[in-house]
Amino acid sequence: MNILILGATGPTGRHVADLAIAAGDTVTVLARRPEALEDLADQVNVVAGDATSHKDVAKAMIGQDAVISALGRSTSVRADDLFTRAAAAVIDAAKEQGVSRLVWLSSFGVGDTYQSASAVQKIMYRTFLRDIYANKELSEKAIRSSGLDWTLVYPTLLTKGPVKGTYRAGDRLPMKGNPKISRADVAAFLHKAAHSPEWINRDAVITD
């Protein structure tokens, strides 16, 4: 499969890139800092550009079968419209290039998943993460109405732990305490979802 990865310089996106390479996919990454992926230079096609630029995304999307977005704001609590601008660029570029499959990484607590969060989590989502979550929710409304074969993925608290392969995934999941999941397992789900029709036009909540 030909896969375009957005956010490959981030910790989760890098896991996705490594998995896709290991699986034998033909991998393209769009990165503002191509130098951060120098160690993959002979294994992936690195396109220098911005995920919020329609022109850059369209260029990187030529010949792709699927797009996996693992874009994030690292430790920032401000979205700066990253997700809405990237979603707009991806949707327009996908239609232009005839690419229908999109797997988009979100966060637990965004949109309808907020209702399943604990009281403590809801406080965090309404305060520190309010700006980022609001922008993510807007971006996902655009994706849902795009006509693409989308999957929106909502992992619980991300950790640096190893891949376990025993995570739970569902449209809705019962939650207790402060559920977590490793970035490695999230990446495995993103990669698997891109290769399967199982999660097309579905939300996927994932946690250990």
Side-chain angles (χ1 to χ4, degrees), residues 132-206:
I132 285 180
Y133 275 32
N135 193 247
K136 286 189 175 186
E137 185 169 4
L138 286 174
S139 72
E140 290 158 25
K141 288 180 179 178
I143 291 169
R144 292 178 196 279
S145 62
S146 67
L148 300 179
D149 294 332
W150 52 265
T151 301
L152 296 173
V153 182
Y154 299 90
T156 52
L157 184 64
L158 297 171
T159 74
K160 297 179 180 180
V163 63
K164 296 180 180 178
T166 56
Y167 57 81
R168 296 181 292 140
D171 300 272
R172 297 290 180 271
L173 292 176
M175 298 288 178
K176 292 183 179 180
N178 190 24
K180 302 176 182 179
I181 186 169
S182 71
R183 292 182 182 275
D185 273 330
V186 173
F189 181 87
L190 295 171
H191 181 256
K192 179 180 178 181
H195 285 75
S196 169
E198 179 182 0
W199 289 96
I200 288 178
N201 296 149
R202 292 175 64 189
D203 297 343
V205 178
I206 55 175

Side-chain angles (χ1 to χ4, degrees), residues 31-192:
R32 288 184 297 108
R33 298 182 297 107
E35 65 277 7
L37 297 166
E38 285 183 356
D39 60 316
L40 297 182
D42 60 343
Q43 297 174 282
V44 304
N45 175 33
V46 180
V47 177
D50 191 323
T52 66
S53 164
H54 168 262
K55 180 180 178 181
D56 292 348
V57 176
K59 178 182 177 181
M61 207 179 285
I62 295 172
Q64 304 301 328
D65 298 310
V67 178
I68 298 176
S69 172
L71 293 170
R73 290 290 292 144
S74 186
T75 58
S76 175
V77 295
R78 299 291 301 175
D80 293 329
D81 295 330
L82 168 66
F83 306 103
T84 47
R85 290 185 296 135
V90 169
I91 291 167
D92 288 346
K95 292 179 178 179
E96 181 179 305
Q97 299 298 335
V99 179
S100 61
R101 190 71 179 102
L102 172 63
V103 180
W104 186 272
L105 179 62
S106 184
S107 302
F108 181 70
V110 176
D112 290 344
T113 64
Y114 176 82
Q115 302 304 322
S116 301
S118 69
V120 173
Q121 288 172 322
K122 287 179 178 177
I123 292 172
M124 180 71 72
Y125 302 154
R126 289 196 306 263
T127 55
F128 298 108
L129 298 174
R130 178 177 59 187
D131 184 72
I132 285 180
Y133 275 32
N135 193 247
K136 286 189 175 186
E137 185 169 4
L138 286 174
S139 72
E140 290 158 25
K141 288 180 179 178
I143 291 169
R144 292 178 196 279
S145 62
S146 67
L148 300 179
D149 294 332
W150 52 265
T151 301
L152 296 173
V153 182
Y154 299 90
T156 52
L157 184 64
L158 297 171
T159 74
K160 297 179 180 180
V163 63
K164 296 180 180 178
T166 56
Y167 57 81
R168 296 181 292 140
D171 300 272
R172 297 290 180 271
L173 292 176
M175 298 288 178
K176 292 183 179 180
N178 190 24
K180 302 176 182 179
I181 186 169
S182 71
R183 292 182 182 275
D185 273 330
V186 173
F189 181 87
L190 295 171
H191 181 256
K192 179 180 178 181

Side-chain angles (χ1 to χ4, degrees), residues 18-41:
D18 290 340
L19 284 170
I21 292 167
D25 294 321
T26 299
V27 180
T28 299
V29 299
L30 177 65
R32 288 184 297 108
R33 298 182 297 107
E35 65 277 7
L37 297 166
E38 285 183 356
D39 60 316
L40 297 182

